[in-house]
């Protein structure tokens, strides 16, 4: 892995009387060369939040859970992310890993798919395409998860690489070393994101239409993602790539995959 990373997390807590508190967790020295016990963990409430015993709880039991999660994350970086989703071929054209090389590991993820030969949406290229839906659950609010996909710094954090993200309607994005790019075509704050999206090795000017719906499930958010216009030959690679390099990476980076208590 190499290097030292600054990680910032956000947390939400609720008192016995029902008062909700929001705060942040900053870890400035995460590295594979540091023991988890040596991590500097700074926990604070957001501005104007009233005092609460939750801060002490987060600094004690919460910090222990954070160290456990970050220890797993460092192992994830060493064994999983370094394999790379997109690999160069002999002629220099990037190619996603095969399904046998990239498998999803989220137990809650459910996939339903159906074949389609209709012309892909938002493209003039006619090729056999498919549509399918993936659902996953994140332990955060719809508003926070919505922001993860539109904020450039947060995208760079969970992809662990430079990215360009203009989080507005009509704004363009490019990430994973330019191997994934597209445009936001519809934004409904905290509820829905619609984008034109493609791998760089897909047929020229061919985009899939991907719709993200953020469903409030009390203390967690169900993310329903609908894919239309994905080339038939790229269905499994697209599913694996999203589950591994979006969903799993977001959970690992921001702590949305496991409860602290």
């Amino acid at each position: 892995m190499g290097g030292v990373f600054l990680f910032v997390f956000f947390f939400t807590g609720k008192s016995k009387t029902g008062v909700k508190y929001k705060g942040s967790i900053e870890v400035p020295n995460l590295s594979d060369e540091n023991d988890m016990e040596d991590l500097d963990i700074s926990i604070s409430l957001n501005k104007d939040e009233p005092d609460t015993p939750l801060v002490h709880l987060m600094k004690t039991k919460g910090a222990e859970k954070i160290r456990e999660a970050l220890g797993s994350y460092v192992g994830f970086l060493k064994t999983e992310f370094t394999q790379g989703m997109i690999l160069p071929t002999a002629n220099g054209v990037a190619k996603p890993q095969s399904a046998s090389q990239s498998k999803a590991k989220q137990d809650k993820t459910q996939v339903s798919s159906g074949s389609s030969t209709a012309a892909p949406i938002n493209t003039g290229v006619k090729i056999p395409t498919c549509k399918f839906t993936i659902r996953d659950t994140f332990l955060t609010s719809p508003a926070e998860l919505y922001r993860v996909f539109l904020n450039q710094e947060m995208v760079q954090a969970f992809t662990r690489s430079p990215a360009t993200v203009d989080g507005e309607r009509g704004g363009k994005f490019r990430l994973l070393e330019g191997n994934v790019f597209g445009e936001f075509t519809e934004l409904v704050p905290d509820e829905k994101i619609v984008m034109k999206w493609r791998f760089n090795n897909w047929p020229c000017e061919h985009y899939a239409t991907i719709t993200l719906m953020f469903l409030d499930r009390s203390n967690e958010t169900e993310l329903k993602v609908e894919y239309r216009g994905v080339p038939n030959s790229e269905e499994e690679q697209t599913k694996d790539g999203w589950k591994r390099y979006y969903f799993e990476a977001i959970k690992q980076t921001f702590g949305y995959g496991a409860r602290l208590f």
Side-chain angles (χ1 to χ4, degrees):
M1 172 172 122
V4 177
F5 293 82
L6 167 65
F7 276 74
V8 179
F9 306 85
F10 303 94
F11 70 87
T12 301
K14 182 185 293 185
S15 69
K16 293 182 179 179
T17 58
V19 178
K20 290 185 177 180
Y21 298 90
K22 293 184 178 181
S24 62
I25 305 166
E26 183 173 308
V27 182
N29 64 331
L30 180 64
S31 170
D32 57 349
E33 298 177 357
N34 289 342
D35 291 334
M36 292 303 103
E37 293 301 320
D38 295 331
L39 293 182
D40 297 326
I41 299 178
S42 175
I43 297 173
S44 60
L45 291 175
N46 289 354
K47 185 179 180 181
D48 298 329
E49 290 282 332
D51 291 336
T52 170
L54 177 62
V55 174
H56 175 72
L57 188 63
M58 289 295 297
K59 289 182 177 180
T60 54
K61 293 184 178 180
E64 293 177 6
K65 296 295 183 180
I66 292 166
R67 286 188 169 90
E68 291 177 8
L70 290 177
S72 299
Y73 170 57
V74 170
F76 166 79
L77 283 184
K78 289 180 178 179
T79 60
E80 296 290 338
F81 190 77
T82 52
Q83 295 178 12
M85 176 176 66
I86 301 175
L87 304 175
T89 62
N91 61 5
V93 178
K95 179 181 180 181
Q97 281 186 293
S98 66
S100 63
Q101 292 174 307
S102 176
K103 296 183 179 179
K105 298 180 180 178
Q106 297 298 326
D107 293 337
K108 290 187 177 180
T109 301
Q110 301 175 348
V111 179
S112 61
S113 63
S115 298
S116 171
T117 56
I121 298 174
N122 292 331
T123 177
V125 181
K126 292 186 177 182
I127 60 174
T129 64
C130 61
K131 60 181 180 180
F132 54 89
T133 300
I134 299 178
R135 298 174 183 265
D136 208 338
T137 302
F138 297 78
L139 298 178
T140 187
S141 67
E144 288 291 345
L145 188 59
Y146 176 88
R147 194 162 69 96
V148 166
F149 290 90
L150 299 179
N151 181 278
Q152 180 168 298
E153 288 74 19
M154 298 182 82
V155 172
Q156 290 181 143
F158 78 77
T159 59
R160 271 79 77 176
S161 63
T164 301
V165 181
D166 181 4
E168 298 181 354
R169 182 175 180 179
K172 300 184 184 301
F173 58 86
R174 182 177 292 270
L175 51 146
L176 294 170
E177 299 182 351
N179 287 296
V180 168
F181 54 92
E183 177 182 333
F184 299 111
T185 58
E186 182 182 353
L187 298 175
V188 180
D190 307 339
E191 295 182 10
K192 183 169 70 172
I193 296 173
V194 183
M195 64 180 80
K196 292 168 55 180
W197 185 97
R198 61 174 270 119
F199 280 130
N200 73 343
N201 68 321
W202 284 7
C204 184
E205 295 303 316
H206 178 86
Y207 288 83
T209 295
I210 298 180
T211 302
L212 290 77
M213 286 167 283
F214 303 82
L215 308 175
D216 192 347
R217 302 298 188 218
S218 186
N219 294 325
E220 57 190 23
T221 299
E222 178 184 351
L223 179 62
K224 178 182 178 183
V225 187
E226 296 180 348
Y227 304 77
R228 297 178 60 88
V230 174
N232 281 348
S233 61
E234 301 293 328
E235 179 178 357
E236 291 305 316
Q237 288 88 344
T238 302
K239 289 177 182 177
D240 290 342
W242 268 78
K243 286 184 284 187
R244 185 177 182 184
Y245 290 94
Y246 278 89
F247 302 161
E248 186 173 342
I250 287 171
K251 290 180 180 182
Q252 291 281 352
T253 302
F254 302 111
Y256 296 162
R259 296 184 185 277
L260 289 177
F261 310 105

